[in-house]
C-alpha cells in the first residue's frame, strides 16, 4: 500500500480567504490526481498532474506536483462557499489509484 | 449520459445475510474497481478488474467477492456481512487503471447490524 497523507484534515475558513492543502507521500507516483467530493456524491476529477514540478491552474485553483513526484499541493484563491467539499489526492500506481486521507473544506459565507 | 450506476443507494442488513451491490457503467471502460470510504481513512480499494474475467485484490479484499462476466457490470458480493463492513462503498470505472479519469458512482451506504 502506498500511503498518501493529506493536511490539514479539516479546514474552515471565511469566504474570500486563501488556503493551501497538502498531499505527501514517501512513494514516487507517475502522476497525481485531485478529486472533489460533495455530500451524497462520488468524487469528481479536478486535475491530473504528470510531470515533476508541473503547475496547473483551474480558475481559482492552482495545483502543483512536487519535483520528486512524491507530493502535491492545491491552492485556492479567494475561496467561495461553492468550494466547500472533501478534497482527495490520488497517486497512480501500476494498476491502481491510491487515495489520500482527504481534506474537508468548509467555506463560510 | 456517461455514468456509473450503483444499486442500492442505502442498505441495512443483518450479520451473515448475503448481499450484492450492483455496479454498471455505460462508457465501455475496461477498468472497474470498488472502494470503501471510512472517516479518517479516505478511499481504500477493495477489488479491481482490468477487463472481463480479470479481477485482482486491492488493499482491503477480506470478506468481499467480485465478478466481471460482462464489461459493463462489476458486482460486489458480501457472502457473510459483518458489522465492520458497515461503510460507504463506491464503484468506479476508467479507461485504464493508470492516469486516466476515474468516474464514480453515487455510493452505497451499507449498515450491518
Amino acid at each position: 500500500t502506498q500511503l498518501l497523507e493529506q493536511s490539514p484534515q479539516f479546514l474552515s475558513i471565511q469566504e474570500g480567504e486563501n488556503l493551501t492543502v497538502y498531499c505527501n507521500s514517501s512513494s514516487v507516483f507517475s502522476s497525481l490526481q485531485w478529486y472533489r467530493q460533495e455530500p451524497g456524491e462520488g468524487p469528481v476529477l479536478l486535475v491530473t498532474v504528470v510531470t515533476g514540478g508541473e503547475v496547473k491552474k483551474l480558475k481559482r485553483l492552482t495545483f502543483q506536483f512536487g519535483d520528486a513526484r512524491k507530493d502535491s499541493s492545491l491552492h485556492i484563491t479567494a475561496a467561495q462557499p461553492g468550494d466547500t467539499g472533501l478534497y482527495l489526492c490520488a497517486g497512480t500506481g501500476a494498476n491502481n489509484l491510491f487515495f489520500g486521507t482527504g481534506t474537508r473544506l468548509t467555506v463560510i459565507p | 449520459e456517461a455514468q456509473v450506476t450503483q444499486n442500492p443507494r442505502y442498505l441495512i442488513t443483518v450479520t451473515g445475510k448475503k448481499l450484492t451491490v450492483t455496479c454498471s457503467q455505460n462508457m465501455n471502460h475496461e477498468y472497474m474497481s470498488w472502494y470503501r470510504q471510512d472517516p479518517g481513512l479516505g478511499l481504500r480499494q477493495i477489488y479491481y478488474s482490468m477487463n472481463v474475467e480479470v479481477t485482482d485484490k486491492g488493499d482491503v479484499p477480506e470478506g468481499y467477492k467480485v465478478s466481471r462476466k460482462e464489461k459493463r457490470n462489476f458486482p460486489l458480493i458480501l457472502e457473510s456481512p459483518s458489522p465492520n463492513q458497515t461503510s460507504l462503498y463506491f464503484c468506479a470505472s476508467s479507461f485504464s487503471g493508470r492516469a486516466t479519469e476515474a468516474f464514480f458512482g453515487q455510493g452505497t451506504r451499507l449498515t450491518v447490524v
Side-chain angles (χ1 to χ4, degrees):
Chain A
T1 302
Q2 296 167 282
L3 294 175
L4 283 147
E5 296 284 341
Q6 286 185 239
S7 61
Q9 189 175 356
F10 299 96
L11 187 56
S12 182
I13 62 171
Q14 295 288 331
E15 181 177 359
E17 292 183 351
N18 301 332
L19 67 111
T20 302
V21 174
Y22 299 94
C23 173
N24 294 295
S25 175
S26 57
S27 302
V28 175
F29 293 101
S30 57
S31 66
L32 197 135
Q33 300 177 337
W34 284 92
Y35 290 80
R36 182 169 72 200
Q37 183 180 11
E38 299 186 16
E41 302 291 333
V44 175
L45 181 69
L46 295 173
V47 77
T48 301
V49 284
V50 179
T51 307
E54 181 177 3
V55 177
K56 277 192 175 178
K57 291 192 175 183
L58 187 66
K59 297 183 181 177
R60 294 175 294 99
L61 279 60
T62 302
F63 305 85
Q64 184 163 8
F65 200 12
D67 291 340
R69 305 207 316 276
K70 293 183 179 181
D71 55 86
S72 181
S73 64
L74 158 60
H75 182 79
I76 301 179
T77 303
Q80 299 178 0
D83 296 327
T84 292
L86 178 67
Y87 288 81
L88 295 159
C89 64
T92 56
N95 297 307
N96 315 76
L97 278 178
F98 298 95
F99 280 87
T101 47
T103 293
R104 189 166 296 281
L105 171 65
T106 302
V107 182
I108 303 165
Chain B
E1 179 189 356
Q3 60 185 5
V4 177
T5 304
Q6 290 180 232
N7 280 297
R9 291 289 310 276
Y10 302 92
L11 180 59
I12 301 174
T13 191
V14 296
T15 299
K17 186 177 180 182
K18 181 179 178 180
L19 67 92
T20 299
V21 183
T22 63
C23 174
S24 180
Q25 52 95 3
N26 63 359
M27 294 167 279
N28 202 35
H29 285 161
E30 299 205 335
Y31 187 96
M32 297 185 74
S33 58
W34 277 101
Y35 296 87
R36 62 178 288 174
Q37 186 173 35
D38 301 288
L41 297 176
L43 283 157
R44 293 180 293 167
Q45 191 178 55
I46 303 170
Y47 268 94
Y48 65 95
S49 169
M50 296 182 69
N51 213 325
V52 175
E53 302 292 3
V54 180
T55 64
D56 212 341
K57 296 177 180 179
D59 293 325
V60 288
E62 294 77 21
Y64 305 94
K65 285 175 57 177
V66 293
S67 68
R68 188 93 181 272
K69 293 184 169 58
E70 304 166 284
K71 198 171 189 178
R72 63 183 293 126
N73 296 322
F74 190 45
L76 179 69
I77 304 155
L78 283 73
E79 294 270 5
S80 182
S82 62
N84 65 11
Q85 292 179 297
T86 292
S87 187
L88 180 58
Y89 291 87
F90 287 99
C91 178
S93 75
S94 59
F95 181 72
S96 77
R98 291 180 176 267
T100 55
E101 179 176 4
F103 292 83
F104 286 82
Q106 289 188 294
T108 295
R109 186 165 291 282
L110 172 66
T111 302
V112 184
V113 298

